Amino acid sequence: DFGDVELVLPRRTVKRVITISNYAQAPVRFSVATDPSGVFAPDKVSAVIPFASTASLTLSFTPHKAGNYYRRVYLLFEKQAAQFVDVLGSAYADAGTADKRRPMPI
C-alpha cells in the first residue's frame, strides 16, 4: 500500500521495496511484467538472484491525477511458477488547485 499522495509540483514519488529470496542452490533469473511508464514503475525489469541470496526490487508510485490506483505486478521466474504482488495507492489534490477531487477511500 503506497497510501495517499498529494498532487503537487514537482510530482511526489512514494517508493516501496520488495525483497525476493532465492533458496535454491543455483542462480535464478526473474523479470517484472508491468508497464514501466505507468504510475507503478519498477527500478529494474529483470535481474539475476545469486544462489542462496536475496534481491531487492523497488516499486515507485508517481500519480498524475486524483484517483485510486491498483495494479497486479507479476514476477516471472526462470523455470519456476510466476508470483504476483498487488499494489495500490491514492492521489488527491489540495483544495487550492483546479482539481479539487479526493477519491473515495480504498
XYZ file of all heavy atoms in Angstrom:
820
model
N 0.850 -1.170 0.000
C 0.000 0.000 0.000
C 0.899 1.238 0.000
O 1.735 1.412 0.880
C -0.899 -0.029 1.216
C -1.873 1.134 1.258
O -1.907 1.942 0.316
O -2.612 1.221 2.243
N 0.708 2.090 -0.988
C 1.508 3.303 -1.113
C 0.862 4.484 -0.392
O 1.440 5.563 -0.341
C 1.722 3.642 -2.589
C 2.700 2.724 -3.262
C 2.298 1.519 -3.779
C 4.036 3.070 -3.367
C 3.198 0.665 -4.400
C 4.946 2.227 -3.977
C 4.521 1.019 -4.489
N -0.354 4.287 0.130
C -1.019 5.343 0.876
C -1.536 6.457 -0.012
O -1.703 6.298 -1.212
N -1.792 7.616 0.613
C -2.299 8.797 -0.085
C -1.142 9.712 -0.468
O -0.285 10.021 0.358
C -3.254 9.588 0.808
C -4.518 8.817 1.132
O -4.941 8.001 0.297
O -5.078 9.029 2.219
N -1.165 10.179 -1.720
C -0.133 11.071 -2.217
C -0.803 12.357 -2.692
O -1.745 12.309 -3.493
C 0.652 10.427 -3.383
C 1.661 11.401 -3.949
C 1.331 9.155 -2.917
N -0.338 13.501 -2.170
C -0.889 14.776 -2.612
C -0.274 15.159 -3.952
O 0.933 15.003 -4.168
C -0.601 15.862 -1.586
C -1.230 17.187 -1.944
C -0.983 18.262 -0.905
O -0.250 18.013 0.062
O -1.530 19.369 -1.078
N -1.112 15.642 -4.868
C -0.645 16.077 -6.185
C -0.101 17.491 -6.080
O -0.852 18.450 -5.928
C -1.782 16.025 -7.201
C -2.325 14.633 -7.500
C -3.539 14.734 -8.398
C -1.260 13.769 -8.140
N 1.198 17.613 -6.101
C 1.876 18.901 -6.048
C 2.996 18.874 -7.085
O 3.367 17.823 -7.589
C 2.468 19.196 -4.644
C 1.372 19.367 -3.621
C 3.441 18.121 -4.232
N 3.521 20.051 -7.409
C 4.673 20.123 -8.306
C 5.895 20.473 -7.492
O 5.826 21.378 -6.664
C 4.429 21.163 -9.400
C 3.348 20.798 -10.400
C 3.132 21.938 -11.382
C 3.704 19.523 -11.145
N 7.033 19.857 -7.644
C 7.237 18.716 -8.534
C 6.481 17.484 -8.027
O 6.164 17.389 -6.841
C 8.746 18.494 -8.491
C 9.173 19.036 -7.167
C 8.231 20.177 -6.869
N 6.202 16.573 -8.946
C 5.439 15.370 -8.612
C 6.121 14.581 -7.504
O 7.334 14.423 -7.496
C 5.291 14.461 -9.837
C 4.494 15.070 -10.938
C 3.021 14.934 -10.642
N 2.243 15.453 -11.753
C 1.189 16.213 -11.610
N 0.759 16.527 -10.425
N 0.545 16.641 -12.655
N 5.309 14.101 -6.575
C 5.830 13.274 -5.489
C 5.858 11.815 -5.922
O 4.969 11.346 -6.630
C 4.953 13.401 -4.251
C 5.082 14.730 -3.590
C 4.451 14.721 -2.233
N 4.620 16.038 -1.630
C 3.913 16.466 -0.623
N 2.994 15.696 -0.087
N 4.122 17.666 -0.132
N 6.865 11.126 -5.455
C 7.001 9.696 -5.705
C 7.154 8.990 -4.369
O 7.945 9.403 -3.524
C 8.236 9.411 -6.582
O 8.059 10.045 -7.843
C 8.437 7.924 -6.794
N 6.380 7.936 -4.184
C 6.481 7.104 -2.992
C 7.065 5.768 -3.439
O 6.654 5.218 -4.466
C 5.102 6.893 -2.333
C 5.205 5.994 -1.125
C 4.484 8.234 -1.958
N 8.020 5.254 -2.670
C 8.695 4.007 -3.048
C 8.488 2.937 -1.992
O 8.421 3.243 -0.799
C 10.186 4.247 -3.255
C 10.480 5.206 -4.384
C 11.958 5.388 -4.582
C 12.170 6.366 -5.748
N 13.535 6.404 -6.183
N 8.404 1.708 -2.466
C 8.334 0.531 -1.600
C 9.320 -0.494 -2.137
O 9.485 -0.644 -3.338
C 6.932 -0.090 -1.581
C 5.845 0.824 -1.034
C 5.983 0.964 0.477
N 4.894 1.715 1.040
C 4.943 3.010 1.354
N 6.049 3.686 1.148
N 3.918 3.615 1.880
N 9.962 -1.214 -1.215
C 10.958 -2.214 -1.599
C 10.384 -3.606 -1.359
O 9.831 -3.891 -0.297
C 12.262 -2.032 -0.798
C 13.270 -3.123 -1.131
C 12.850 -0.655 -1.058
N 10.535 -4.465 -2.364
C 10.146 -5.865 -2.271
C 11.442 -6.670 -2.222
O 12.320 -6.501 -3.075
C 9.305 -6.300 -3.492
C 8.034 -5.474 -3.557
C 9.011 -7.784 -3.455
C 7.268 -5.647 -4.847
N 11.569 -7.539 -1.233
C 12.741 -8.407 -1.130
C 12.369 -9.780 -1.673
O 11.395 -10.386 -1.237
C 13.216 -8.519 0.329
O 13.522 -7.208 0.811
C 14.448 -9.398 0.440
N 13.159 -10.256 -2.625
C 12.918 -11.550 -3.260
C 14.040 -12.489 -2.835
O 15.222 -12.169 -3.007
C 12.887 -11.417 -4.796
C 11.866 -10.348 -5.203
C 12.582 -12.746 -5.450
C 11.982 -9.930 -6.647
N 13.674 -13.646 -2.270
C 14.661 -14.606 -1.787
C 14.793 -15.774 -2.744
O 13.804 -16.253 -3.296
C 14.253 -15.136 -0.405
O 14.192 -14.076 0.512
N 16.017 -16.241 -2.901
C 16.309 -17.425 -3.698
C 16.907 -18.464 -2.761
O 18.048 -18.340 -2.330
C 17.289 -17.085 -4.828
C 17.675 -18.303 -5.631
O 17.093 -19.364 -5.494
N 18.685 -18.152 -6.475
N 16.126 -19.496 -2.442
C 16.590 -20.547 -1.544
C 17.233 -21.704 -2.302
O 17.705 -22.655 -1.692
C 15.430 -21.064 -0.690
C 14.875 -20.003 0.236
C 13.655 -19.409 -0.014
C 15.601 -19.588 1.346
C 13.153 -18.423 0.821
C 15.109 -18.609 2.189
C 13.879 -18.032 1.924
O 13.389 -17.060 2.755
N 17.244 -21.632 -3.616
C 17.814 -22.700 -4.440
C 19.338 -22.659 -4.396
O 19.941 -21.682 -3.963
C 17.329 -22.562 -5.880
N 19.946 -23.713 -4.882
C 21.409 -23.797 -4.943
C 21.939 -23.382 -6.314
O 23.038 -23.756 -6.696
C 21.858 -25.219 -4.598
C 21.552 -25.600 -3.159
C 22.203 -24.646 -2.161
O 23.378 -24.307 -2.271
N 21.435 -24.192 -1.184
N 21.129 -22.625 -7.053
C 21.528 -22.125 -8.369
C 20.970 -20.715 -8.533
O 19.954 -20.365 -7.923
C 20.979 -23.036 -9.464
N 21.608 -19.886 -9.331
C 21.075 -18.547 -9.579
C 19.724 -18.622 -10.297
O 19.469 -19.564 -11.050
C 22.117 -17.882 -10.477
C 23.232 -18.837 -10.634
C 22.858 -20.134 -10.030
N 18.867 -17.653 -10.055
C 17.540 -17.607 -10.684
C 17.373 -16.249 -11.358
O 17.573 -15.208 -10.729
C 16.418 -17.825 -9.647
C 15.053 -17.613 -10.273
C 16.513 -19.207 -9.035
N 16.996 -16.280 -12.611
C 16.714 -15.061 -13.362
C 15.222 -14.747 -13.197
O 14.393 -15.638 -13.231
C 17.043 -15.274 -14.840
C 16.817 -14.048 -15.705
C 17.179 -14.313 -17.160
N 18.482 -14.944 -17.318
C 19.644 -14.301 -17.344
N 19.669 -12.989 -17.224
N 20.783 -14.942 -17.483
N 14.900 -13.470 -13.013
C 13.489 -13.076 -12.944
C 13.276 -11.810 -13.763
O 14.205 -11.055 -14.042
C 13.018 -12.874 -11.498
C 13.472 -11.593 -10.854
C 12.675 -10.460 -10.903
C 14.684 -11.517 -10.200
C 13.090 -9.274 -10.313
C 15.111 -10.346 -9.600
C 14.306 -9.215 -9.658
N 12.026 -11.602 -14.148
C 11.651 -10.370 -14.834
C 10.342 -9.869 -14.238
O 9.566 -10.627 -13.666
C 11.532 -10.576 -16.341
O 10.562 -11.544 -16.621
N 10.121 -8.588 -14.388
C 8.932 -7.929 -13.851
C 8.014 -7.599 -15.020
O 8.427 -6.934 -15.965
C 9.313 -6.640 -13.095
C 8.079 -5.984 -12.499
C 10.343 -6.934 -12.027
N 6.785 -8.084 -14.938
C 5.815 -7.850 -16.009
C 4.857 -6.742 -15.568
O 3.862 -6.993 -14.901
C 5.054 -9.127 -16.334
N 5.205 -5.518 -15.910
C 4.353 -4.365 -15.644
C 4.750 -3.274 -16.621
O 5.768 -3.369 -17.291
C 4.482 -3.879 -14.185
O 3.499 -2.879 -13.939
C 5.846 -3.319 -13.887
N 3.945 -2.246 -16.681
C 4.228 -1.126 -17.569
C 5.204 -0.183 -16.884
O 4.828 0.508 -15.926
C 2.921 -0.409 -17.912
C 3.111 0.776 -18.836
O 4.238 0.971 -19.342
O 2.133 1.505 -19.065
N 6.473 -0.128 -17.317
C 7.442 0.734 -16.635
C 7.126 2.220 -16.752
O 7.651 3.026 -16.003
C 8.773 0.401 -17.299
C 8.461 -0.375 -18.508
C 7.052 -0.884 -18.412
N 6.240 2.610 -17.680
C 5.882 4.021 -17.809
C 4.569 4.340 -17.087
O 4.079 5.449 -17.165
C 5.765 4.399 -19.288
O 4.722 3.664 -19.887
N 3.998 3.374 -16.369
C 2.751 3.589 -15.642
C 2.983 4.286 -14.309
O 4.105 4.698 -13.982
N 1.932 4.403 -13.507
C 2.060 5.079 -12.211
C 2.828 4.221 -11.210
O 3.390 4.737 -10.258
C 0.690 5.491 -11.633
C 0.042 6.553 -12.490
C -0.217 4.320 -11.429
N 2.859 2.890 -11.405
C 3.677 1.986 -10.596
C 4.828 1.514 -11.480
O 4.624 0.773 -12.432
C 2.868 0.781 -10.124
C 1.741 1.128 -9.199
C 0.436 1.114 -9.652
C 1.979 1.468 -7.879
C -0.614 1.425 -8.805
C 0.932 1.780 -7.023
C -0.364 1.764 -7.483
N 6.035 1.948 -11.196
C 7.181 1.626 -12.056
C 8.262 0.910 -11.255
O 8.632 1.362 -10.168
C 7.747 2.899 -12.678
N 8.793 -0.200 -11.787
C 9.898 -0.888 -11.117
C 11.231 -0.220 -11.428
O 11.384 0.433 -12.461
C 9.844 -2.295 -11.726
C 9.311 -2.064 -13.102
C 8.347 -0.914 -12.982
N 12.206 -0.384 -10.536
C 13.538 0.171 -10.784
C 14.340 -0.690 -11.749
O 15.340 -0.250 -12.292
C 14.307 0.383 -9.486
C 14.631 -0.911 -8.756
O 13.926 -1.918 -8.964
O 15.578 -0.910 -7.955
N 13.906 -1.939 -11.965
C 14.546 -2.822 -12.936
C 13.493 -3.735 -13.522
O 12.484 -4.024 -12.874
C 15.668 -3.630 -12.299
C 15.215 -4.520 -11.154
C 16.366 -5.181 -10.419
C 16.763 -4.299 -9.296
N 17.504 -4.777 -8.226
N 13.685 -4.161 -14.747
C 12.708 -5.049 -15.388
C 13.176 -6.494 -15.382
O 12.379 -7.402 -15.626
C 12.363 -4.600 -16.829
C 11.632 -3.269 -16.807
C 13.605 -4.527 -17.682
N 14.440 -6.732 -15.089
C 14.938 -8.101 -14.941
C 16.228 -8.072 -14.135
O 16.906 -7.047 -14.039
C 15.170 -8.750 -16.302
O 16.207 -8.100 -16.988
N 16.554 -9.242 -13.561
C 17.778 -9.370 -12.772
C 18.027 -10.845 -12.505
O 17.173 -11.689 -12.774
C 17.670 -8.602 -11.461
N 19.178 -11.131 -11.962
C 19.543 -12.489 -11.550
C 19.788 -12.456 -10.046
O 20.518 -11.598 -9.539
C 20.798 -12.982 -12.286
C 21.221 -14.352 -11.768
C 20.561 -13.033 -13.783
N 19.163 -13.408 -9.341
C 19.384 -13.535 -7.902
C 20.408 -14.647 -7.701
O 20.170 -15.785 -8.112
C 18.087 -13.890 -7.157
C 16.974 -12.910 -7.516
C 18.328 -13.900 -5.652
C 15.620 -13.322 -6.995
N 21.545 -14.362 -7.109
C 22.535 -15.413 -6.858
C 21.954 -16.521 -5.970
O 20.983 -16.297 -5.242
C 23.669 -14.679 -6.137
C 23.471 -13.240 -6.464
C 21.996 -13.059 -6.643
N 22.545 -17.700 -6.035
C 22.030 -18.814 -5.242
C 22.108 -18.487 -3.752
O 23.015 -17.795 -3.291
C 22.758 -20.118 -5.573
C 24.185 -20.179 -5.108
C 24.494 -20.727 -3.872
C 25.203 -19.699 -5.896
C 25.803 -20.791 -3.436
C 26.519 -19.756 -5.469
C 26.821 -20.298 -4.230
N 21.101 -18.953 -3.012
C 21.001 -18.760 -1.565
C 21.178 -17.290 -1.174
O 21.883 -16.965 -0.228
C 21.998 -19.644 -0.838
N 20.520 -16.406 -1.911
C 20.681 -14.968 -1.669
C 19.337 -14.255 -1.849
O 18.313 -14.899 -2.064
C 21.715 -14.408 -2.641
O 22.013 -13.072 -2.335
N 19.369 -12.938 -1.763
C 18.168 -12.134 -1.963
C 18.463 -11.003 -2.939
O 19.612 -10.648 -3.171
C 17.671 -11.514 -0.637
O 18.683 -10.672 -0.111
C 17.292 -12.583 0.377
N 17.390 -10.448 -3.482
C 17.483 -9.271 -4.348
C 16.374 -8.317 -3.953
O 15.328 -8.734 -3.457
C 17.356 -9.661 -5.818
N 16.592 -7.038 -4.170
C 15.581 -6.022 -3.873
C 15.016 -5.455 -5.164
O 15.756 -5.212 -6.119
C 16.192 -4.883 -3.056
O 16.609 -5.352 -1.805
N 13.725 -5.255 -5.156
C 13.021 -4.633 -6.273
C 12.277 -3.437 -5.699
O 11.490 -3.583 -4.762
C 12.045 -5.613 -6.919
C 11.136 -5.061 -7.994
C 11.945 -4.694 -9.235
C 10.053 -6.070 -8.352
N 12.546 -2.254 -6.225
C 11.875 -1.047 -5.750
C 10.778 -0.660 -6.723
O 11.020 -0.514 -7.921
C 12.875 0.108 -5.604
O 13.909 -0.286 -4.687
C 12.190 1.358 -5.084
N 9.560 -0.508 -6.206
C 8.432 -0.020 -6.995
C 8.177 1.418 -6.599
O 8.133 1.748 -5.405
C 7.177 -0.849 -6.749
C 7.173 -2.262 -7.307
C 5.910 -2.995 -6.876
C 7.256 -2.237 -8.821
N 8.004 2.281 -7.595
C 7.715 3.696 -7.360
C 6.293 4.008 -7.793
O 5.850 3.549 -8.845
C 8.678 4.567 -8.164
O 9.998 4.319 -7.770
N 5.599 4.793 -6.990
C 4.234 5.235 -7.279
C 4.281 6.730 -7.533
O 4.592 7.508 -6.631
C 3.319 4.899 -6.107
C 1.912 5.423 -6.215
C 1.126 5.141 -7.318
C 1.367 6.185 -5.193
C -0.177 5.618 -7.406
C 0.068 6.659 -5.265
C -0.710 6.376 -6.378
N 4.000 7.134 -8.781
C 4.001 8.548 -9.161
C 2.701 8.854 -9.897
O 2.633 8.758 -11.124
C 5.209 8.866 -10.072
O 6.397 8.373 -9.461
C 5.347 10.363 -10.289
N 1.644 9.220 -9.161
C 0.369 9.519 -9.815
C 0.389 10.887 -10.493
O 1.141 11.785 -10.098
C -0.628 9.498 -8.657
C 0.191 9.868 -7.460
C 1.569 9.325 -7.709
N -0.437 11.032 -11.536
C -0.504 12.291 -12.285
C -1.855 12.982 -12.162
O -1.992 14.133 -12.555
C -0.184 12.046 -13.758
C 1.181 11.473 -13.951
N 2.328 12.209 -13.776
C 1.592 10.230 -14.265
C 3.382 11.451 -13.990
N 2.966 10.241 -14.283
N -2.856 12.258 -11.632
C -4.165 12.873 -11.405
C -4.826 12.195 -10.221
O -4.445 11.086 -9.826
C -5.041 12.804 -12.653
C -5.387 11.417 -13.108
C -6.245 11.474 -14.360
C -6.656 10.073 -14.768
N -7.540 10.069 -15.905
N -5.812 12.866 -9.633
C -6.508 12.351 -8.460
C -7.228 11.058 -8.800
O -7.803 10.915 -9.876
C -7.498 13.391 -7.940
N -7.171 10.114 -7.879
C -7.870 8.846 -8.077
C -7.241 7.744 -7.259
O -6.226 7.918 -6.595
N -7.903 6.577 -7.297
C -7.383 5.373 -6.671
C -6.715 4.540 -7.753
O -7.227 4.430 -8.866
C -8.510 4.570 -6.026
C -9.122 5.292 -4.849
O -8.409 5.901 -4.058
N -10.430 5.245 -4.723
N -5.596 3.938 -7.429
C -4.830 3.168 -8.396
C -4.575 1.763 -7.849
O -4.262 1.594 -6.665
C -3.484 3.836 -8.676
C -3.616 5.177 -9.335
C -3.767 6.338 -8.583
C -3.598 5.296 -10.716
C -3.888 7.573 -9.183
C -3.718 6.535 -11.336
C -3.860 7.664 -10.560
O -3.985 8.887 -11.162
N -4.702 0.785 -8.729
C -4.438 -0.609 -8.372
C -3.746 -1.277 -9.551
O -4.095 -1.031 -10.706
C -5.753 -1.339 -8.065
C -5.608 -2.839 -8.086
C -5.103 -3.522 -6.985
C -5.959 -3.575 -9.213
C -4.952 -4.892 -7.008
C -5.817 -4.950 -9.250
C -5.306 -5.601 -8.143
O -5.154 -6.959 -8.175
N -2.804 -2.133 -9.263
C -2.124 -2.883 -10.324
C -1.630 -4.203 -9.741
O -1.191 -4.261 -8.593
C -0.930 -2.091 -10.853
C -0.136 -2.758 -11.939
C -0.797 -2.765 -13.294
N -1.050 -1.415 -13.741
C -2.170 -1.054 -14.376
N -3.106 -1.909 -14.622
N -2.332 0.189 -14.749
N -1.712 -5.251 -10.535
C -1.108 -6.535 -10.177
C 0.211 -6.617 -10.931
O 0.242 -6.583 -12.155
C -2.025 -7.690 -10.559
C -1.404 -9.046 -10.252
C -2.425 -10.135 -10.262
N -3.129 -10.084 -8.977
C -4.119 -10.887 -8.646
N -4.549 -11.795 -9.491
N -4.697 -10.786 -7.464
N 1.304 -6.696 -10.185
C 2.645 -6.758 -10.768
C 3.090 -8.227 -10.721
O 3.153 -8.827 -9.651
C 3.629 -5.876 -9.979
C 5.036 -5.997 -10.530
C 3.161 -4.422 -9.986
N 3.389 -8.775 -11.890
C 3.818 -10.168 -11.975
C 5.332 -10.265 -11.953
O 6.026 -9.499 -12.614
C 3.288 -10.822 -13.255
C 1.816 -11.096 -13.203
C 0.900 -10.161 -13.676
C 1.334 -12.279 -12.658
C -0.459 -10.410 -13.615
C -0.026 -12.528 -12.595
C -0.915 -11.589 -13.074
O -2.254 -11.832 -13.006
N 5.831 -11.239 -11.199
C 7.248 -11.558 -11.158
C 7.399 -12.916 -11.824
O 6.851 -13.916 -11.354
C 7.754 -11.609 -9.716
C 7.541 -10.334 -8.906
C 7.895 -10.561 -7.448
C 8.349 -9.202 -9.479
N 8.112 -12.949 -12.930
C 8.284 -14.168 -13.714
C 9.674 -14.729 -13.453
O 10.674 -14.045 -13.679
C 8.090 -13.862 -15.197
C 6.782 -13.130 -15.546
C 6.769 -12.746 -17.005
C 5.585 -13.979 -15.184
N 9.716 -15.958 -12.972
C 10.980 -16.598 -12.621
C 11.313 -17.696 -13.621
O 10.440 -18.451 -14.045
C 10.890 -17.210 -11.215
C 10.707 -16.185 -10.146
C 9.438 -15.810 -9.730
C 11.797 -15.578 -9.552
C 9.264 -14.856 -8.747
C 11.634 -14.621 -8.573
C 10.359 -14.261 -8.170
N 12.590 -17.796 -13.961
C 13.053 -18.825 -14.887
C 12.844 -20.210 -14.266
O 13.290 -20.474 -13.152
C 14.540 -18.586 -15.164
C 15.151 -19.527 -16.157
C 16.599 -19.165 -16.413
O 17.348 -18.941 -15.449
O 16.968 -19.103 -17.587
N 12.109 -21.062 -14.985
C 11.845 -22.451 -14.581
C 11.108 -22.546 -13.251
O 11.255 -23.514 -12.522
C 13.143 -23.256 -14.527
C 13.859 -23.326 -15.849
C 15.138 -24.108 -15.732
C 15.897 -24.074 -17.046
N 17.191 -24.734 -16.949
N 10.341 -21.532 -12.909
C 9.571 -21.501 -11.670
C 8.183 -20.941 -11.954
O 7.952 -20.334 -12.994
C 10.252 -20.609 -10.620
C 11.651 -21.007 -10.262
C 11.708 -22.296 -9.490
O 10.846 -22.585 -8.681
N 12.733 -23.092 -9.742
N 7.293 -21.116 -11.008
C 5.948 -20.552 -11.138
C 6.009 -19.033 -10.980
O 6.809 -18.508 -10.207
C 5.024 -21.147 -10.081
N 5.164 -18.354 -11.719
C 5.072 -16.896 -11.598
C 4.474 -16.526 -10.247
O 3.672 -17.260 -9.684
C 4.227 -16.326 -12.722
N 4.870 -15.385 -9.741
C 4.336 -14.833 -8.498
C 3.797 -13.448 -8.816
O 4.101 -12.877 -9.860
C 5.433 -14.731 -7.442
C 6.096 -16.045 -7.101
C 5.170 -16.971 -6.363
O 4.480 -16.569 -5.433
N 5.134 -18.226 -6.782
N 2.996 -12.901 -7.917
C 2.489 -11.549 -8.147
C 2.379 -10.793 -6.840
O 2.327 -11.384 -5.769
C 1.146 -11.559 -8.886
C 0.028 -12.197 -8.112
C -0.724 -11.468 -7.206
C -0.271 -13.536 -8.296
C -1.754 -12.048 -6.494
C -1.300 -14.130 -7.594
C -2.040 -13.389 -6.693
N 2.355 -9.478 -6.982
C 2.164 -8.563 -5.861
C 1.087 -7.581 -6.282
O 1.164 -6.989 -7.364
C 3.467 -7.799 -5.539
C 3.240 -6.789 -4.429
C 4.585 -8.745 -5.186
N 0.055 -7.422 -5.455
C -0.980 -6.421 -5.707
C -0.565 -5.122 -5.025
O -0.252 -5.121 -3.837
C -2.328 -6.879 -5.163
C -2.908 -8.034 -5.958
O -2.654 -8.104 -7.166
O -3.618 -8.868 -5.372
N -0.530 -4.033 -5.789
C -0.139 -2.740 -5.241
C -1.280 -1.743 -5.440
O -2.023 -1.817 -6.416
C 1.168 -2.215 -5.880
C 2.342 -3.089 -5.490
C 1.068 -2.134 -7.378
N -1.411 -0.829 -4.481
C -2.446 0.196 -4.595
C -1.991 1.471 -3.935
O -1.116 1.479 -3.085
C -3.769 -0.281 -3.989
C -3.743 -0.761 -2.541
C -4.378 0.280 -1.652
C -4.529 -2.046 -2.445
N -2.587 2.552 -4.403
C -2.281 3.867 -3.861
C -3.371 4.841 -4.274
O -4.156 4.565 -5.176
N -3.417 5.961 -3.607
C -4.398 7.001 -3.905
C -3.673 8.331 -4.100
O -2.632 8.567 -3.509
C -5.396 7.160 -2.759
O -6.160 5.997 -2.598
N -4.276 9.175 -4.928
C -3.742 10.519 -5.141
C -4.880 11.512 -4.961
O -6.012 11.242 -5.350
C -3.144 10.640 -6.538
N -4.566 12.647 -4.356
C -5.582 13.676 -4.155
C -4.960 15.041 -4.421
O -3.743 15.216 -4.380
C -6.156 13.624 -2.731
C -5.169 13.992 -1.660
C -5.101 15.295 -1.172
C -4.298 13.039 -1.136
C -4.190 15.637 -0.189
C -3.382 13.380 -0.154
C -3.331 14.673 0.323
O -2.436 15.013 1.291
N -5.827 16.005 -4.715
C -5.385 17.370 -4.981
C -5.779 18.255 -3.811
O -6.833 18.068 -3.200
C -6.009 17.876 -6.275
N -4.947 19.210 -3.511
C -5.214 20.183 -2.463
C -6.419 21.033 -2.866
O -6.675 21.249 -4.040
C -3.974 21.063 -2.284
C -4.095 22.030 -1.118
O -5.213 22.352 -0.702
O -3.045 22.467 -0.626
N -7.145 21.532 -1.897
C -8.329 22.343 -2.172
C -8.006 23.617 -2.948
O -8.873 24.194 -3.590
C -9.031 22.705 -0.865
N -6.762 24.054 -2.945
C -6.377 25.272 -3.647
C -6.070 25.066 -5.124
O -5.725 26.005 -5.819
N -6.201 23.843 -5.627
C -5.889 23.576 -7.025
C -7.168 23.451 -7.845
O -8.267 23.378 -7.307
C -5.079 22.278 -7.173
O -5.878 21.193 -6.713
C -3.782 22.346 -6.383
N -7.017 23.423 -9.142
C -8.183 23.306 -10.030
C -8.876 21.951 -9.872
O -10.095 21.855 -9.954
C -7.743 23.508 -11.477
N -8.101 20.894 -9.641
C -8.660 19.549 -9.472
C -8.849 19.314 -7.977
O -7.939 18.920 -7.277
C -7.707 18.513 -10.070
C -8.300 17.113 -10.044
O -9.444 16.966 -9.583
O -7.616 16.182 -10.492
N -10.049 19.591 -7.470
C -10.301 19.548 -6.035
C -10.893 18.214 -5.585
O -11.419 18.113 -4.493
C -11.238 20.684 -5.643
C -10.646 22.035 -5.909
C -11.607 23.132 -5.603
C -10.933 24.446 -5.963
N -11.784 25.554 -6.052
N -10.811 17.221 -6.424
C -11.397 15.932 -6.076
C -10.504 15.151 -5.122
O -9.301 15.216 -5.182
C -11.623 15.092 -7.333
C -12.597 15.718 -8.292
C -12.713 14.920 -9.557
N -11.418 14.969 -10.238
C -10.926 13.967 -10.950
N -11.585 12.868 -11.075
N -9.757 14.080 -11.542
N -11.140 14.414 -4.258
C -10.447 13.457 -3.406
C -11.140 12.116 -3.628
O -12.353 12.019 -3.506
C -10.513 13.850 -1.945
C -9.728 12.901 -1.077
C -9.458 13.517 0.282
N -8.694 12.605 1.096
C -7.406 12.747 1.348
N -6.759 13.768 0.866
N -6.772 11.879 2.095
N -10.395 11.079 -3.983
C -11.027 9.800 -4.286
C -11.658 9.166 -3.055
O -11.272 9.479 -1.923
C -9.890 8.948 -4.819
C -8.667 9.547 -4.228
C -8.950 11.007 -4.091
N -12.618 8.286 -3.284
C -13.217 7.524 -2.208
C -12.118 6.692 -1.552
O -11.219 6.207 -2.227
C -14.300 6.582 -2.743
C -15.518 7.294 -3.296
S -16.511 8.060 -2.023
C -17.118 6.622 -1.169
N -12.166 6.514 -0.231
C -11.154 5.686 0.446
C -11.206 4.240 -0.061
O -12.270 3.738 -0.395
C -11.539 5.752 1.907
C -12.475 6.899 2.033
C -13.115 7.093 0.694
N -10.055 3.631 -0.097
C -9.989 2.218 -0.502
C -10.190 1.362 0.723
O -9.631 1.548 1.729
C -8.637 1.910 -1.166
C -8.508 2.740 -2.428
C -8.513 0.432 -1.482
C -7.204 2.549 -3.157
